[in-house]
Amino acid sequence: MKKIIEHAVRNISFSVDELKPWTPEDENLITAFTSLHDAEIKLKAEGSALLTLAGNLNKQTEKVRNKLMALKERIAALSKLADRFVMVDPNRQSWAEELNKQTEKVGKHIGAYHDMLTVAESAATACEEKNSPFIKEVEDIERWEKFDDIKNGYFNDYETKAIDIISFGNDEDMFRMLASCFTHQNKGIIDAANNAIDNYNRLLLETEMQYALWEEFLKRLSVIRMITESEAGEIFTSAN
């Protein structure tokens, strides 16, 4: 007699001998086999959630990177404005005032950038926290080893059992091929998540580079302010 167990992954199908009683060993074998199908359902749901998180991380990363590119141009423009200060010009004081104004504006942009980066950081954390356990579950073979142990014990004395081992073996082979496809898909999701995380980490390196340039500029600005304040004092003294 053909026995069919409907499952969300696929229908499990095998033959049973109606003349033999359904034993606890038969039940254990089917329970273990069904649990492998259950695991695939769980992995599919978790993989779908991880893929969504990876997509969101990429979106947030690129949004922040675009802001960083604009910030990079602003910092470069400030540096060029600061370069003009070395020129001997009666308008150096007005240049310094303009430099201070533009520096304040860029400082506000950096604050807004940091807020955006914080949002991306949250997205990265969520993706990493989901990715690590997902990798372990995909690579975990313990459930298959447990099933193989039960199956091997069942086959050692199959003559007294109800399940036809040939038809069951054929169905198992079909499922293993399907599970292999699922594993391939899951590894693709893991790659997508890893790529999204790597992309975010590159953004952090790019951010550190720009922050370093900003710190160097602020050092230059500090010197410029000292000089302009000194010059302004000299002008005031001369006027008196």
Side-chain angles (χ1 to χ4, degrees):
M1 180 185 73
K2 181 73 74 174
K3 186 175 181 62
I4 298 177
I5 301 175
E6 294 183 355
H7 194 278
V9 174
R10 57 185 281 276
N11 287 341
I12 302 171
S13 176
F14 54 92
S15 298
V16 297
D17 189 340
E18 293 181 294
L19 300 178
K20 296 178 181 178
W22 185 262
T23 66
E25 289 78 7
D26 290 305
E27 189 65 31
N28 288 340
L29 178 63
I30 296 304
T31 298
F33 192 46
T34 303
S35 68
L36 294 177
H37 291 66
D38 295 339
E40 296 299 336
I41 290 291
K42 180 182 178 183
L43 284 173
K44 182 178 181 181
E46 293 177 348
S48 178
L50 176 58
L51 196 59
T52 298
L53 291 174
N56 180 55
L57 176 56
N58 276 326
K59 179 180 178 181
Q60 295 299 330
T61 298
E62 291 312 308
K63 182 178 179 180
V64 176
R65 180 172 279 118
N66 289 336
K67 182 72 173 179
L68 180 62
M69 292 301 100
L71 191 61
K72 179 180 179 181
E73 293 178 359
R74 293 178 184 275
I75 293 175
L78 274 179
S79 295
K80 288 183 179 180
L81 186 60
D83 291 341
R84 295 176 60 183
F85 188 78
V86 300
M87 301 171 59
V88 178
D89 191 289
N91 295 320
R92 285 212 306 179
Q93 287 290 334
S94 61
W95 286 357
E97 291 176 2
E98 178 63 21
L99 184 61
N100 285 329
K101 291 179 181 179
Q102 295 302 321
T103 299
E104 184 178 353
K105 290 181 180 180
V106 174
K108 292 180 179 179
H109 282 288
I110 289 177
Y113 174 80
H114 183 73
D115 291 340
M116 292 178 62
L117 187 62
T118 300
V119 175
E121 180 183 9
S122 297
T125 299
C127 188
E128 290 173 341
E129 289 179 348
K130 191 73 173 179
N131 192 37
S132 295
F134 185 69
I135 292 174
K136 291 181 180 179
E137 288 192 52
V138 170
E139 295 179 347
D140 183 23
I141 61 172
E142 183 178 350
R143 61 182 180 275
W144 284 97
E145 291 177 341
K146 180 179 179 181
F147 166 74
D148 286 337
D149 288 342
I150 293 174
K151 183 185 68 174
N152 292 335
Y154 182 92
F155 282 9
N156 287 336
D157 191 23
Y158 71 89
E159 294 91 346
T160 61
K161 311 297 192 312
I163 296 175
D164 174 61
I165 61 172
I166 295 178
S167 62
F168 181 83
N170 291 336
D171 193 76
E172 178 193 346
D173 289 341
M174 292 179 62
F175 176 64
R176 284 183 181 273
M177 287 189 292
L178 183 61
S180 178
C181 292
F182 289 155
T183 298
H184 181 74
Q185 293 174 354
N186 289 333
K187 288 183 177 179
I189 293 174
I190 291 171
D191 288 341
N194 285 334
N195 289 337
I197 293 170
D198 289 343
N199 189 29
Y200 168 75
N201 288 333
R202 285 194 296 272
L203 173 66
L204 293 183
L205 292 176
E206 295 164 10
T207 298
E208 289 178 4
M209 291 176 61
Q210 287 306 311
Y211 279 3
L213 291 175
W214 175 246
E215 291 298 324
E216 287 299 316
F217 167 77
L218 291 179
K219 291 178 182 178
R220 291 181 62 193
L221 180 63
S222 178
V223 174
I224 290 173
R225 284 173 173 169
M226 290 173 58
I227 294 174
T228 53
E229 289 173 1
S230 175
E231 291 177 346
E234 292 176 359
I235 293 173
F236 179 77
T237 301
S238 176
N240 288 337

